[in-house]
Amino acid sequence: MNSEKLNHTLDRLESHIKDYTIINTRVSQGSIAWHIDHSLKVINNVCNASIESDPSTYLNNFTFLGKLFFTLGFFPRGKAKAPKHVKPPKVITEESLVLQIEDARSNINKINTLDKNAYFNHPLFGHVNTTRVNRFLILHTNHHLKIINDILKQQKTLSK
């Protein structure tokens, strides 16, 4: 079920590629392209790390903070900085976003076939295994979709 939700979330992200050049610094320093690119880098990096992980080294060390945000169902804005490996480049093209979407769709299918203790190591949450990975990716992507929607809402207000 969660993989269906994750694919739906990915569809929503993809629907904003047409708006990728829009930026509104009142909402975010990043453009819509930045938020899409970052979200896709997170999805693809998380999936690849999970695929490459050794389930026998999984530690059940999911932190209180992880449990709190998973229970609340959202991540607060402006509290965390993106690690370097998931920061978008200075120039983001529409083509690169489309290619990353394709990779994400393929990777999502792969992670749903992994051992339940395949995992990635989150800097604040600890090991996130496949039983939690879809939820993490949905929460993270929704966090950025909300920012994208606020950028678009603010843009419409300014253009009136």
Side-chain angles (χ1 to χ4, degrees), residues 69-88:
F69 291 142
F70 273 48
T71 301
L72 293 174
F74 73 95
F75 300 146
R77 282 194 195 175
K79 299 299 179 195
K81 296 288 179 204
K84 191 175 183 177
H85 66 280
V86 291
K87 281 191 176 174

